[in-house]
Amino acid sequence: MSMKLVMKALLLGGAVLLAHEGHAQTPAQPQSPSPTQTQPPTPAVPAAARRVLAPRRVVAPRRTGVAPVRARTSGVMEKDGLTLKDGRAVLTELGLTSPLEQDKRLLNGTTVTPKGQVTSPTGELSQMAEGDYVSLTGRLTTKREIVDADSVRKLVAYDLKHPGKRKELEKAREKAEKEREKAAKEAAKAQAKNNH
Protein backbone atom coordinates (compact mmCIF):
# COMPACT_ATOMS: atom_id res chain seq x y z
CA MET A 1 0.00 0.00 0.00
CA SER A 2 2.80 2.43 0.85
CA MET A 3 4.47 1.69 -2.50
CA LYS A 4 1.34 2.88 -4.31
CA LEU A 5 1.38 6.10 -2.30
CA VAL A 6 5.04 6.70 -3.10
CA MET A 7 4.39 6.14 -6.82
CA LYS A 8 1.42 8.53 -6.79
CA ALA A 9 3.48 11.14 -4.97
CA LEU A 10 6.32 10.81 -7.50
CA LEU A 11 3.93 11.06 -10.44
CA LEU A 12 2.21 14.08 -8.93
CA GLY A 13 5.56 15.73 -8.20
CA GLY A 14 6.74 15.08 -11.79
CA ALA A 15 3.54 16.56 -13.19
CA VAL A 16 3.96 19.65 -11.02
CA LEU A 17 7.59 20.06 -12.18
CA LEU A 18 6.60 19.70 -15.84
CA ALA A 19 3.84 22.25 -15.44
CA HIS A 20 6.25 24.63 -13.69
CA GLU A 21 8.90 24.20 -16.45
CA GLY A 22 6.28 24.73 -19.17
CA HIS A 23 5.12 27.91 -17.46
CA ALA A 24 8.69 29.15 -17.06
CA GLN A 25 9.52 28.54 -20.76
CA THR A 26 6.53 30.36 -22.23
CA PRO A 27 7.51 33.90 -23.15
CA ALA A 28 5.97 36.58 -21.05
CA GLN A 29 3.72 39.00 -22.87
CA PRO A 30 5.42 42.38 -23.10
CA GLN A 31 3.54 45.05 -21.27
CA SER A 32 3.53 48.41 -22.84
CA PRO A 33 4.40 51.09 -20.36
CA SER A 34 1.70 53.55 -19.59
CA PRO A 35 2.34 57.09 -20.66
CA THR A 36 2.78 58.12 -17.06
CA GLN A 37 5.42 55.43 -16.40
CA THR A 38 8.85 55.98 -17.84
CA GLN A 39 11.65 53.50 -17.85
CA PRO A 40 15.16 54.55 -16.97
CA PRO A 41 17.45 54.61 -20.02
CA THR A 42 19.71 51.59 -20.38
CA PRO A 43 23.38 52.48 -20.18
CA ALA A 44 25.30 52.19 -23.47
CA VAL A 45 27.97 49.49 -23.51
CA PRO A 46 31.25 50.65 -25.04
CA ALA A 47 32.40 48.74 -28.12
CA ALA A 48 35.59 47.58 -26.41
CA ALA A 49 33.57 45.92 -23.64
CA ARG A 50 31.44 43.86 -26.02
CA ARG A 51 32.38 40.23 -26.31
CA VAL A 52 33.65 39.33 -29.78
CA LEU A 53 33.34 35.70 -30.82
CA ALA A 54 35.81 34.05 -33.15
CA PRO A 55 34.39 32.93 -36.51
CA ARG A 56 33.17 29.36 -36.64
CA ARG A 57 35.49 26.80 -38.15
CA VAL A 58 34.12 24.55 -40.87
CA VAL A 59 34.64 20.90 -40.04
CA ALA A 60 34.13 18.07 -42.50
CA PRO A 61 31.82 15.29 -41.33
CA ARG A 62 33.46 12.07 -40.22
CA ARG A 63 33.16 9.20 -42.60
CA THR A 64 32.59 5.68 -41.47
CA GLY A 65 33.02 2.51 -43.45
CA VAL A 66 35.05 1.88 -46.56
CA ALA A 67 35.28 4.70 -49.10
CA PRO A 68 34.74 3.80 -52.77
CA VAL A 69 37.93 3.51 -54.80
CA ARG A 70 38.42 6.27 -57.36
CA ALA A 71 40.08 5.52 -60.66
CA ARG A 72 43.81 6.23 -60.71
CA THR A 73 44.41 8.60 -63.57
CA SER A 74 47.11 11.02 -64.60
CA GLY A 75 45.44 13.85 -62.69
CA VAL A 76 42.57 14.10 -65.18
CA MET A 77 39.26 12.54 -64.22
CA GLU A 78 37.96 10.17 -66.86
CA LYS A 79 34.67 10.96 -68.56
CA ASP A 80 31.64 8.91 -67.64
CA GLY A 81 31.09 6.15 -70.18
CA LEU A 82 32.47 2.83 -71.37
CA THR A 83 35.87 2.11 -72.89
CA LEU A 84 37.54 -1.10 -74.02
CA LYS A 85 40.79 -1.84 -72.16
CA ASP A 86 42.66 -5.11 -72.57
CA GLY A 87 39.66 -6.72 -74.28
CA ARG A 88 37.22 -5.89 -71.45
CA ALA A 89 34.63 -3.12 -71.24
CA VAL A 90 35.33 -0.72 -68.38
CA LEU A 91 32.54 1.48 -66.99
CA THR A 92 33.22 4.92 -65.49
CA GLU A 93 30.26 6.39 -63.68
CA LEU A 94 30.37 9.41 -61.32
CA GLY A 95 34.17 9.24 -61.40
CA LEU A 96 34.28 5.60 -60.26
CA THR A 97 35.78 3.08 -62.69
CA SER A 98 35.16 -0.65 -62.60
CA PRO A 99 35.11 -3.52 -65.11
CA LEU A 100 31.69 -4.20 -66.63
CA GLU A 101 30.29 -7.41 -65.11
CA GLN A 102 27.00 -7.67 -67.00
CA ASP A 103 25.32 -6.09 -70.03
CA LYS A 104 24.82 -2.34 -69.62
CA ARG A 105 21.76 -0.67 -71.16
CA LEU A 106 22.37 3.00 -71.99
CA LEU A 107 19.95 5.94 -72.20
CA ASN A 108 19.13 5.62 -75.92
CA GLY A 109 18.58 1.86 -75.67
CA THR A 110 22.07 0.80 -76.78
CA THR A 111 23.40 -2.29 -74.98
CA VAL A 112 27.09 -2.97 -74.30
CA THR A 113 28.37 -6.41 -73.24
CA PRO A 114 31.40 -7.00 -70.98
CA LYS A 115 33.38 -8.09 -74.10
CA GLY A 116 32.66 -4.74 -75.82
CA GLN A 117 29.95 -5.80 -78.25
CA VAL A 118 27.59 -2.85 -78.92
CA THR A 119 23.97 -3.44 -79.95
CA SER A 120 22.20 -0.29 -81.16
CA PRO A 121 18.47 0.29 -80.52
CA THR A 122 17.79 -0.70 -84.16
CA GLY A 123 19.58 -4.04 -83.62
CA GLU A 124 22.86 -3.29 -85.43
CA LEU A 125 25.85 -5.11 -83.92
CA SER A 126 29.36 -3.68 -83.73
CA GLN A 127 32.49 -4.52 -81.79
CA MET A 128 34.41 -1.87 -79.83
CA ALA A 129 38.12 -1.66 -80.60
CA GLU A 130 40.79 -1.00 -77.97
CA GLY A 131 40.46 2.62 -76.79
CA ASP A 132 36.99 3.23 -78.27
CA TYR A 133 34.53 5.13 -76.09
CA VAL A 134 30.76 4.84 -75.66
CA SER A 135 29.04 7.65 -73.72
CA LEU A 136 26.29 6.87 -71.21
CA THR A 137 23.81 8.31 -73.73
CA GLY A 138 24.90 5.63 -76.25
CA ARG A 139 27.15 7.56 -78.65
CA LEU A 140 30.11 5.49 -79.94
CA THR A 141 33.37 7.37 -80.61
CA THR A 142 36.34 5.56 -82.12
CA LYS A 143 39.88 6.02 -80.84
CA ARG A 144 40.85 7.74 -84.13
CA GLU A 145 38.04 10.31 -83.70
CA ILE A 146 39.18 10.94 -80.12
CA VAL A 147 42.78 11.52 -81.28
CA ASP A 148 41.65 13.85 -84.10
CA ALA A 149 39.43 15.87 -81.73
CA ASP A 150 42.27 16.06 -79.22
CA SER A 151 44.68 17.31 -81.91
CA VAL A 152 42.24 20.01 -83.01
CA ARG A 153 41.68 21.00 -79.37
CA LYS A 154 45.45 21.29 -78.86
CA LEU A 155 45.83 23.46 -81.97
CA VAL A 156 43.03 25.77 -80.85
CA ALA A 157 44.57 26.04 -77.38
CA TYR A 158 48.01 26.79 -78.92
CA ASP A 159 46.50 29.47 -81.18
CA LEU A 160 44.80 31.09 -78.19
CA LYS A 161 48.01 31.04 -76.17
CA HIS A 162 50.30 32.16 -79.04
CA PRO A 163 48.19 34.15 -81.53
CA GLY A 164 49.78 34.27 -85.01
CA LYS A 165 52.69 32.02 -84.02
CA ARG A 166 51.62 29.09 -86.21
CA LYS A 167 51.31 31.38 -89.26
CA GLU A 168 54.81 32.74 -88.63
CA LEU A 169 56.20 29.21 -88.35
CA GLU A 170 54.42 28.20 -91.59
CA LYS A 171 55.85 31.24 -93.44
CA ALA A 172 59.35 30.48 -92.11
CA ARG A 173 59.02 26.85 -93.27
CA GLU A 174 57.86 27.93 -96.76
CA LYS A 175 60.74 30.44 -97.00
CA ALA A 176 63.31 27.79 -96.00
CA GLU A 177 61.81 25.37 -98.56
CA LYS A 178 62.04 28.00 -101.35
CA GLU A 179 65.66 28.73 -100.42
CA ARG A 180 66.47 25.00 -100.60
CA GLU A 181 64.83 24.74 -104.04
CA LYS A 182 66.74 27.83 -105.22
CA ALA A 183 70.04 26.40 -103.92
CA ALA A 184 69.29 23.06 -105.64
CA LYS A 185 68.59 24.83 -108.98
CA GLU A 186 71.82 26.86 -108.71
CA ALA A 187 73.78 23.69 -107.90
CA ALA A 188 72.22 21.96 -110.95
CA LYS A 189 73.14 24.96 -113.19
CA ALA A 190 76.71 24.98 -111.87
CA GLN A 191 77.06 21.24 -112.49
CA ALA A 192 75.63 21.57 -116.01
CA LYS A 193 78.11 24.41 -116.71
CA ASN A 194 81.02 22.31 -115.43
CA ASN A 195 79.97 19.38 -117.64
CA HIS A 196 80.21 21.55 -120.83
Side-chain angles (χ1 to χ4, degrees):
M1 194 71 163
S2 65
M3 189 61 139
K4 284 185 179 181
L5 286 174
V6 170
M7 290 299 287
K8 284 183 181 181
L10 285 174
L11 286 174
L12 184 61
V16 169
L17 281 174
L18 285 174
H20 182 65
E21 282 182 13
H23 180 68
Q25 288 182 357
T26 55
Q29 297 295 330
Q31 295 179 353
S32 59
S34 63
T36 57
Q37 277 184 331
T38 57
Q39 292 182 351
T42 57
V45 178
R50 289 190 195 129
R51 184 174 178 199
V52 178
L53 297 175
R56 294 187 73 168
R57 192 176 58 148
V58 178
V59 178
R62 290 186 178 168
R63 294 185 182 199
T64 58
V66 178
V69 177
R70 292 226 176 251
R72 296 253 182 223
T73 60
S74 59
V76 179
M77 184 171 285
E78 292 186 31
K79 291 194 311 184
D80 286 356
L82 293 132
T83 56
L84 195 71
K85 291 182 182 174
D86 300 325
R88 288 207 36 94
V90 177
L91 172 67
T92 302
E93 215 169 6
L94 300 173
L96 301 175
T97 302
S98 61
L100 192 63
E101 299 296 330
Q102 57 188 7
D103 291 0
K104 174 76 173 172
R105 187 173 174 87
L106 304 174
L107 290 176
N108 70 348
T110 300
T111 306
V112 181
T113 66
K115 294 288 184 187
Q117 189 175 23
V118 181
T119 307
S120 71
T122 58
E124 293 178 39
L125 291 174
S126 60
Q127 177 64 41
M128 291 173 67
E130 195 73 22
D132 286 357
Y133 169 79
V134 179
S135 68
L136 293 180
T137 57
R139 182 170 178 234
L140 174 66
T141 309
T142 64
K143 186 176 182 178
R144 183 73 204 154
E145 290 171 336
I146 293 170
V147 169
D148 290 345
D150 193 38
S151 298
V152 169
R153 195 177 309 119
K154 284 180 181 176
L155 285 176
V156 169
Y158 184 84
D159 287 344
L160 288 174
K161 189 173 181 180
H162 308 285
K165 183 73 172 179
R166 272 196 320 129
K167 287 181 182 176
E168 291 174 14
L169 292 172
E170 185 66 27
K171 285 179 183 176
R173 187 186 61 78
E174 287 175 1
K175 185 177 178 182
E177 195 173 303
K178 285 179 183 177
E179 287 176 0
R180 265 186 258 129
E181 287 175 4
K182 187 177 178 183
K185 284 180 183 177
E186 288 177 1
K189 278 184 187 178
Q191 193 171 6
K193 204 177 207 184
N194 290 338
N195 288 341
H196 285 313

